[in-house]
Amino acid sequence: RQQRRLAELALAVRRAETDAATARRVAARDVDAATKFSVRKFATSLFDVADSLQLARKAVDGITKTDITPEHRVFVDGYAALDRQLDKAFAAHGLVGFGAVGEAFDPDRHEAIATTQPRPRDEADYCDDASGRGPPPDGGGPLVVLEVHACGYALHERVLRAASVTTGPAEMLEAASVVEAGVVSDGDDQQPEADAASAEAPAPEGPPTSRS
């Protein structure tokens, strides 16, 4: 009887030790989570500030020093410096922004406020040289980000705010890149042609002189 009692006490001690170890692990995990996400509320309150700075930088993006006065350039550089400093402060506490054109759409990280569909093509676009008519493409490819309206933020890989984006099939992003490249190329080619045409054009004749 005493041996059985000792066995029961030993089992109870082991169970108590196991419960105590589990409680310590849970407490340590809770403390770590509380430490990591203690700045969540404060960081969330700064999202509007970050959005305003990004809009300001986007508004002046591409402006060269020759386009504005030195006095205005101070404000432009100041907005850029504030944006960089805010990003650095966010990163120091584990808060990072995400959301870029071309990345795959993730419903856990992106909020699609609009979806753009490609223009329906004619049956002639689907013709096959061998049979005269081929099946149309499925058009159900994966969606990608076409435009970012507001970037998202994640705190230690936990999404605090999803990025507001416009999505569409990847072929639309590729087509836009081709069109943009073509516009730039055409703009570069038209100037030499215009110069050549102006060089080859004959000089206009003056009014006929009257003879007495």
Side-chain angles (χ1 to χ4, degrees):
R1 178 179 296 180
Q2 292 180 353
Q3 292 180 353
R4 185 174 63 182
R5 179 60 178 169
L6 290 175
E8 292 176 353
L9 291 175
L11 180 60
V13 170
R14 287 195 296 269
R15 287 178 178 175
E17 291 176 348
T18 302
D19 293 341
T22 302
R24 286 194 296 270
R25 287 195 300 270
V26 172
R29 184 183 60 191
D30 293 342
V31 169
D32 182 62
T35 303
K36 284 183 176 180
F37 300 102
S38 60
V39 298
R40 175 178 180 176
K41 187 175 182 180
F42 177 70
T44 303
S45 65
L46 293 178
F47 287 166
D48 292 338
V49 179
D51 292 341
S52 299
L53 288 175
Q54 290 176 1
L55 288 175
R57 290 197 64 182
K58 185 182 295 185
V60 299
D61 188 22
I63 296 180
T64 61
K65 294 184 177 180
T66 59
D67 295 332
I68 58 177
T69 62
E71 292 79 6
H72 292 162
R73 170 56 57 180
V74 173
F75 291 100
V76 173
D77 295 339
Y79 281 126
L82 285 174
D83 194 18
R84 290 193 300 268
Q85 291 173 359
L86 185 61
D87 289 341
K88 185 177 180 180
F90 280 171
H93 293 85
L95 185 68
V96 295
F98 62 87
V101 174
E103 65 184 14
F105 173 71
D106 184 354
D108 295 330
R109 296 170 61 87
H110 301 116
E111 179 185 3
I113 62 176
T115 300
T116 305
Q117 297 295 335
R119 178 185 61 84
R121 290 178 289 182
D122 299 331
E123 291 186 359
D125 297 333
Y126 307 138
C127 288
D128 185 90
D129 294 337
S131 61
R133 174 175 298 182
D138 52 10
L143 297 177
V144 299
V145 175
L146 301 180
E147 183 179 0
V148 179
H149 303 282
C151 68
Y153 290 95
L155 181 61
H156 296 290
E157 300 182 356
R158 179 186 295 181
V159 176
L160 298 186
R161 187 183 76 173
S164 299
V165 299
T166 296
T167 62
E171 61 185 41
M172 294 192 64
L173 186 62
E174 297 172 357
S177 301
V178 171
V179 170
E180 183 178 357
V183 169
V184 173
S185 177
D186 292 342
D188 295 339
D189 295 342
Q190 289 175 358
Q191 184 65 27
E193 293 178 357
D195 295 341
S198 61
E200 295 176 359
E205 298 180 356
T209 57
S210 59
R211 295 181 179 179
S212 56

